Amino acid sequence: DAKTTQPNSMESNEEEPVHLPCNHSTISGTDYIHWYRQLPSQGPEYVIHGLTSNVNNRMASLAIAEDRKSSTLILHRATLRDAAVYYCILRDDYGGSQGNLIFGKGTKLSVKP
Amino acid sequence: GAGVSQSPRYKVTKRGQDVALRCDPISGHVSLYWYRQALGQGPEFLTYFNYEAQQDKSGLPNDRFSAERPEGSISTLTIQRTEQRDSAMYRCASSSLRSGISGEQFFGPGTRLTVL
C-alpha cells in the first residue's frame, strides 16, 4: 500500500471548519483513501473513505484532488469531541488486497474552546 | 447492537509466561483483524482472517505469536514465552465485507498487556 504524509499536529477553534491534509503522491489506481480517527483512550473509528469523487457523510467530507495525489478531510464545525488523532490510509481494495489498514502517525488535532 | 469485545481488558504477566487474548467480533462479520499499538504510535497490523481462514500473518513479529479463529467467529491471539517488548495495547477489529472490498473496520476496546 502506498505511503501517506500528514502534518504531525494541527489546532482548531471550536465551531470553526477544519481542513486536514494528506499527501499520497504514489497512489495507485485501485487505492481507496480511508480516514480513521482515534479519540484519547479509545480504539480507532472509521470516518470516511473515497476513490475519486468527493464524499460526504454525517461526520465529515472528503475532498480528493483531481490527480488523486492528495486529499483533505473536512470537519465542517469542530467540536471539543473532535480532538483526536486522524489517520489517512490508502488501501488497495481490488484484486490482491490484503484488507488490513496500514496506519502512519496521523495528525493530532487539538480543538480550543 | 453489541460492538467488538475483547478480553481481558488488562493483562499483567511475568516474562516467560504464555498469554491468550480473546476477540469477539460483531455478529456476522466475516473479516477479523489483529493490531498492536505502542504508546503514541498508530496501530500496527498483525494478522487477519476471512471466516476461519487466516489470510495474512505477515505482521506477526515472530513465531511466539499465533492466532486462530476456528469457527469463523471468536478469535484468540496467543503469545508464548512473553517478553517485556511484547507490552502494548492489542486491538481487534472486524468488518462485514470480504477483505478486498472497501469496508469499515470496527475496533474493539483493546487488551492492555504488560509484561513484567
Side-chain angles (χ1 to χ4, degrees):
Chain A
D1 292 302
K3 188 174 177 180
T4 62
T5 305
Q6 299 177 253
N8 290 333
S9 62
M10 290 185 65
E11 274 192 355
S12 172
N13 294 317
E14 195 176 13
E15 297 190 4
E16 290 185 356
V18 183
H19 291 234
L20 296 163
C22 181
N23 288 319
H24 28 79
S25 58
T26 58
I27 190 170
S28 73
T30 51
D31 282 333
Y32 273 76
I33 302 160
H34 296 257
W35 283 83
Y36 279 72
R37 73 178 185 180
Q38 188 168 17
L39 280 63
S41 302
Q42 295 189 26
E45 64 175 349
Y46 167 84
V47 178
I48 201 167
H49 75 272
L51 182 62
T52 56
S53 303
N54 294 345
V55 184
N56 300 294
N57 66 21
R58 63 176 177 81
M59 287 182 72
S61 295
L62 176 60
I64 301 173
E66 197 168 334
D67 63 5
R68 302 213 319 129
K69 293 183 185 298
S70 65
S71 60
T72 302
L73 180 70
I74 302 165
L75 307 179
H76 296 286
R77 288 186 65 195
T79 69
L80 297 178
R81 195 192 173 278
D82 291 322
V85 178
Y86 287 79
Y87 297 98
C88 170
I89 301 164
L90 300 185
R91 190 178 75 180
D92 184 350
D93 286 327
Y94 289 103
S97 168
Q98 294 185 351
N100 57 287
L101 299 169
I102 299 176
F103 291 82
K105 293 188 176 181
T107 297
K108 184 173 183 179
L109 175 67
S110 302
V111 181
K112 296 184 289 185
Chain B
V4 177
S5 61
Q6 293 185 243
S7 61
R9 293 291 308 277
Y10 302 90
K11 177 69 177 178
V12 181
T13 190
K14 292 183 178 179
R15 187 180 54 179
Q17 297 294 307
D18 297 350
V19 294
L21 311 180
R22 172 184 165 129
C23 173
D24 200 339
I26 293 172
S27 178
H29 276 196
V30 167
S31 300
L32 184 148
Y33 310 81
W34 282 99
Y35 296 85
R36 177 171 69 173
Q37 187 168 22
L39 207 58
Q41 302 293 317
E44 171 195 23
F45 168 73
L46 296 177
T47 185
Y48 88 97
F49 295 82
N50 281 343
Y51 301 100
E52 71 282 358
Q54 191 170 18
Q55 297 295 316
D56 183 357
K57 55 181 182 179
S58 64
L60 296 176
N62 51 61
D63 59 8
R64 295 186 297 106
F65 287 72
S66 63
E68 63 175 9
R69 193 186 185 198
E71 297 179 359
S73 180
I74 294 168
S75 176
T76 303
L77 177 70
T78 301
I79 309 173
Q80 296 180 311
R81 304 180 302 282
T82 53
E83 301 178 5
Q84 287 185 328
R85 59 178 172 159
D86 300 333
S87 296
M89 178 71 83
Y90 288 81
R91 297 196 185 275
C92 174
S94 68
S95 68
S96 64
L97 301 174
R98 286 290 300 275
S99 296
I101 301 170
S102 188
E104 176 180 354
Q105 291 187 17
F106 294 83
F107 283 78
T111 295
R112 169 71 67 188
L113 174 66
T114 303
V115 183
L116 301 176

